[in-house]
Structures are given as structure tokens and as C-alpha cells.
Amino acid sequence: MPDLPVLPDAVKTAISFAWTGYIAVLTVWIVLQKRSPLSTLSWLLSLAWLPILGFVIYYFFGPQRMRRQRLKRIRSHASLFAKADLDRLKAQFSHAPEQLRQLAELGQAACDLPVATASDVSLLVGGGQTFNAIFDAIRAARRHVHLEYYIFEPDKIGTALRDLLIRKCGEGVEVRLLVDALGSKQLGARFLAPLKEAGAEVGLFHNTRIGRRLRPVINFRTHRKIVVCDGSVGFTGGLNITDDEDERTRPDAYHDVHLRLEGNVVRWLQTVFLEDWAYATRERKHRTAEDFACLLPPPAPGTHPVQIVASGPDSEREAIHRMIVAAIHFSTERVWITTPYFVPGPPTLMALTNAAMRGVDVRILVPRRSDSLIVSAAARSYFDDLIDAGVKVWEYGARMLHSKTMLVDDAVGMVGTANFDNRSFRLNYEISAFAYGPVLTVPLGAQFERDLRKSVRVEANRRLPAWQRLADATCRLFSPLL
């Protein structure tokens, strides 16, 4: 075997200096991100051992700080009715626990969206109910229809919705559709052409093509599902526009829930949409008083307190994460959570086990097998710790469970887009509706109990094959990335 060539001392010195400089630059770059010490050290070690591949991975997938300009005039206009709402809600909260008022204040402090009122709050179960309600609201729209989705497929339901939007454009209704570039990657120019030709505006959130921005943002997706019609009727929840979530088309469609809202609270759904639209399309229209009056009309005040909470990588406050943890901490009777992806971090795991250990009825409902084998395995790795603390865990077996809900006592009901994992709490743009009082806790509780009838409770000390225990524990290592 021939001897390897010996590098000259000058070359060795140059490589040593280059390596030292590389490590120094990376250290400064990563430390200035001010992430957790464990995350920072992990990235430093990874990049030191993988000098080229590690840099590429960090560049594309590593933590980034997002900067977005808020539309201050829209928020200012939307806030015109906030004081009146708060005055009414203080009267309603006068006999409620102090923690409930503090929870509403926390939501406002975390994302600047105050609690509002709804004249109607309707829980929609399954694709049939949800799509029928959305289509009816769009048909009734007279001024504008705004839609934001993570997944919009060019399938049966997607085509039907596109064609309805085309008809509304023909009636003079303004239509704006914002879709995530990665989640809706199947939407092609040919499918969208008739919609654009009819006069609708279509925006892509975070184009995934390299070269569209200096540093790609593959991780940061809009996972929000928002529909707003005329500023007075709004929808949000877990359902995307796809046949995979329509049981009328597919018997094995995902099991999911959605929320229909009417009243003042819809203006905050509208505000979130307009800010996402302006950010994604770089559009700064709707500056006149007439434009604001059209987009944010003053609907009659409602009687149901509801708070829209939005979070994303453009804020370090993790509003939805904070709200969930705080609500669990103040629970006294029950915490019932439904989620398709359950990968709790230390704050949520501590909150759940603490609640169970002080006697709260804590129940977690997850799919027996989600559409991600890695996430399912990681979720199973937490079951023993939860059950040992008194948490009751069920696995839904009928279909893929896709609902994202939380019920705390008889005081708080939540329906939204955020899963119970790090990706939803820190990386994705998410939105959730927190309703205070029985208007949502009653139907959510009833639906949760119906879902339990199709579920199997996970028993303590269950026996799993050694290979599965190893696989679950290994997948748990990737929890921060899931």
C-alpha cells in the first residue's frame, strides 16, 4: 500500500488556522441565537464534527429568528371595540376564578390579541359538517372571502372550493387565497389559472425554492387554517382542504373538528390573515378608512367570550404554548386533550403530571398510529411517565385522529391548529381559539367522550417487545425536531 503524502508544515498551519476560524465564527453565530444551552452546545458539537455537512444542515434547518412587520393600522382599527368587549367580559368574569381572568390577560400579553366576544360558537365534527358550513358561508359572502391553509389539494373538495370561489369572483366578491408553499405543493399553475383569471388573488407562504431568499425557511410553515367571510363569519381548526379529511369521499378520512365563529372575535381572525397576507405577498393595500370599514366591520357584540391566540417563529413568547401550560396549571377538575402528534417538552410534561398528581382528571387522546411512524414512536416513549403520575392515556383506533383540542374544567375550551409538540409551539405559524365558559366546553366534552368509545386505554406496565422499546426511545431523541 503506497504511503500517504505528507502535507507541508505551511499547509498544516493554514488548515489549523482555517479550522480555528471556522469554529470561532460558528460559535459566535450560534451563541448569539440565545437558544437553550443544550441546543446551543448540541449544534456546536455537531458542526465541529461535521464541518461541511453540519454547516449545510444548520443553514437550512437550524434555528432562525424571523422578523415580520405588523400592520399597526389594522390592529389599531381592530382594537376600537376591545374596551367595550373587556368591560362586558369583566362583568361575566366577576364570578369566575381569578386565574381565568389572568389567562385572558396572558393571551393578550403574549400575542397582543385581546379577548373578544362571539354571538355564535359552533363545533363542527368531520369534513362533511365543516365543508358544508364553510361553503354556505362563502356562498352568502357579499364583499370578500379570505382563506389561509397549510394544505390545499387539487382533488375533489379542492376543485369544488376553487370553482365556488370563481363564481364568487364573478359576483364581484374579493377573493384572497393564501396557501403554504410546502404543504400545498400539489397546487400547480394550471389548477390555479382559472381562479386567477376570474380575479382572485393567490399568495404563497414561504416559497421553498432555493434562491427566493438569502437563507431558506423550510422549517417555518403557516400551519394556520383560516376562513373569513365579510369580516363577520370565521372558521379555524384542524381541517385542511383535502379529500383525506372528507369522510363523504373517503371512509378512512381523518377524524377532525373545526370551529365556526360569528361576532366581534372574527376581526382578530381577519387581522391575523391580513398580516400573513401582507407578509407573504409584500402587499400594503387597504390603508383608507373605507378599506378598514369593509375588512373589519363592527358586528353586534356577542355574549360568549372567545380569544384568538396566534403564535409563530416571529415571536419568542410562544403564545399558544404559554396558554396551554397556564390553563393546565390552574385546572382543578379535568384536563382533556386530543392531539394527533403528542411530543411534550419539559414544561408541558411537568404541567400534565403535576395536575394528575394533585387529583385532576387528566386524559390524553392520541391516534393509535399517526401518519408519522417516528412521531407515534416518540409519543409512546412518554406514556409510562404519564401513566405513573396518574395521567390516563387512550389511543384512538377507528381512523387517523387529527383533532387538536383541549378542555379544562368547565371553564376553557380550545380548538385550533397547533399540535402538542415542539414544531407547533415554536416553528410553525399557528392559531387557536380559546372559548371561556360552557359554549365550547359542553360540546367538546361530549365529543371527547364519544371518541373514547372508539379508543383503547393504554395500561400501565404493558409489555412491549425489546425492539419497540428501543425504537420508541430512539425516536424520543428527536423530540425537539418533531
Side-chain angles (χ1 to χ4, degrees), residues 72-120:
K72 295 180 180 179
R73 291 194 62 183
I74 289 181
R75 283 184 177 253
S76 176
H77 188 86
S79 298
L80 291 177
F81 313 99
K83 186 179 185 304
D85 288 343
L86 288 172
D87 290 342
R88 279 189 295 270
L89 294 173
K90 285 179 181 178
Q92 288 182 255
F93 283 165
S94 61
H95 302 294
E98 176 64 22
Q99 295 96 322
L100 195 61
R101 292 193 293 274
Q102 291 179 354
L103 186 65
E105 292 176 0
L106 171 63
Q108 181 173 353
C111 67
D112 300 323
L113 300 179
V115 68
T117 57
S119 55
D120 181 73

Side-chain angles (χ1 to χ4, degrees), residues 405-423:
T405 70
M406 183 176 70
L407 175 62
V408 177
D409 299 341
D410 294 323
V412 181
M414 183 205 76
V415 173
T417 67
N419 299 303
F420 213 87
D421 60 14
N422 180 70
R423 180 165 295 277

Side-chain angles (χ1 to χ4, degrees), residues 51-358:
I52 298 178
L53 179 60
F55 177 84
V56 172
I57 292 174
Y58 186 82
Y59 183 81
F60 283 96
F61 299 103
Q64 303 178 44
R65 292 189 181 277
M66 302 299 300
R67 293 287 186 267
R68 301 209 319 173
Q69 181 181 359
R70 285 181 171 171
L71 303 183
K72 295 180 180 179
R73 291 194 62 183
I74 289 181
R75 283 184 177 253
S76 176
H77 188 86
S79 298
L80 291 177
F81 313 99
K83 186 179 185 304
D85 288 343
L86 288 172
D87 290 342
R88 279 189 295 270
L89 294 173
K90 285 179 181 178
Q92 288 182 255
F93 283 165
S94 61
H95 302 294
E98 176 64 22
Q99 295 96 322
L100 195 61
R101 292 193 293 274
Q102 291 179 354
L103 186 65
E105 292 176 0
L106 171 63
Q108 181 173 353
C111 67
D112 300 323
L113 300 179
V115 68
T117 57
S119 55
D120 181 73
V121 179
S122 299
L123 182 67
L124 306 171
V125 181
Q129 281 190 16
T130 300
F131 295 138
N132 283 341
I134 290 175
F135 276 50
D136 287 344
I138 293 175
R139 292 189 189 99
R142 294 294 175 263
R143 296 185 297 276
H144 65 265
V145 176
H146 293 161
L147 307 95
E148 179 174 349
Y149 278 98
Y150 174 60
I151 296 175
F152 193 123
E153 294 283 1
D155 51 16
K156 184 176 179 180
I157 190 65
T159 301
L161 179 54
R162 180 203 62 178
D163 293 345
L164 175 58
L165 295 175
I166 291 173
R167 290 197 295 274
K168 297 308 294 185
C169 288
E171 297 172 10
V173 175
E174 292 185 354
V175 173
R176 296 179 181 87
L177 171 63
L178 178 62
V179 296
D180 185 80
L182 183 64
S184 300
K185 59 183 179 296
Q186 298 302 323
L187 281 188
R190 185 175 180 181
F191 179 84
L192 292 172
L195 185 59
K196 293 181 178 180
E197 291 170 1
E201 299 177 72
V202 179
L204 283 182
F205 192 94
H206 280 180
N207 198 309
T208 56
R209 286 183 294 169
I210 296 177
R212 297 293 293 182
R213 56 177 65 232
L214 181 63
R215 190 179 181 196
V217 283
I218 296 174
N219 259 332
F220 303 141
R221 316 312 319 168
T222 177
H223 198 239
R224 293 168 179 163
K225 293 89 178 173
I226 299 174
V227 177
V228 176
C229 298
D230 290 344
S232 58
V233 179
F235 298 83
T236 192
L239 278 89
N240 292 288
I241 303 300
T242 168
D243 289 347
D244 288 342
E245 300 196 40
D246 190 351
E247 71 278 4
R248 300 170 302 180
T249 301
R250 294 189 53 168
D252 62 343
Y254 291 3
H255 175 50
D256 212 335
V257 299
H258 221 69
L259 204 60
R260 181 186 184 275
L261 299 167
E262 285 189 48
N264 289 344
V265 69
V266 177
R267 70 178 181 270
W268 296 116
L269 283 176
Q270 181 84 295
T271 299
V272 174
F273 170 84
L274 291 174
E275 291 187 338
D276 287 348
W277 177 264
Y279 168 73
T281 64
R282 294 173 174 78
E283 177 183 306
R284 292 293 185 270
K285 294 180 181 178
H286 313 297
R287 297 176 181 271
T288 68
E290 291 76 12
D291 289 329
F292 284 125
C294 176
L295 295 172
L296 299 166
T303 57
H304 309 298
V306 181
Q307 189 165 23
I308 300 300
V309 179
S311 64
D314 56 337
S315 172
E316 294 290 314
R317 295 180 179 179
E318 300 180 20
I320 295 175
H321 192 189
R322 286 180 184 272
M323 289 286 283
I324 288 175
V325 171
I328 295 171
H329 278 314
F330 91 69
S331 62
T332 59
E333 298 174 2
R334 61 177 174 174
V335 175
W336 294 358
I337 293 172
T338 304
T339 180
Y341 309 119
F342 181 76
V343 190
T348 47
L349 188 63
M350 182 71 74
L352 290 170
T353 52
N354 278 355
M357 293 171 71
R358 55 187 169 82

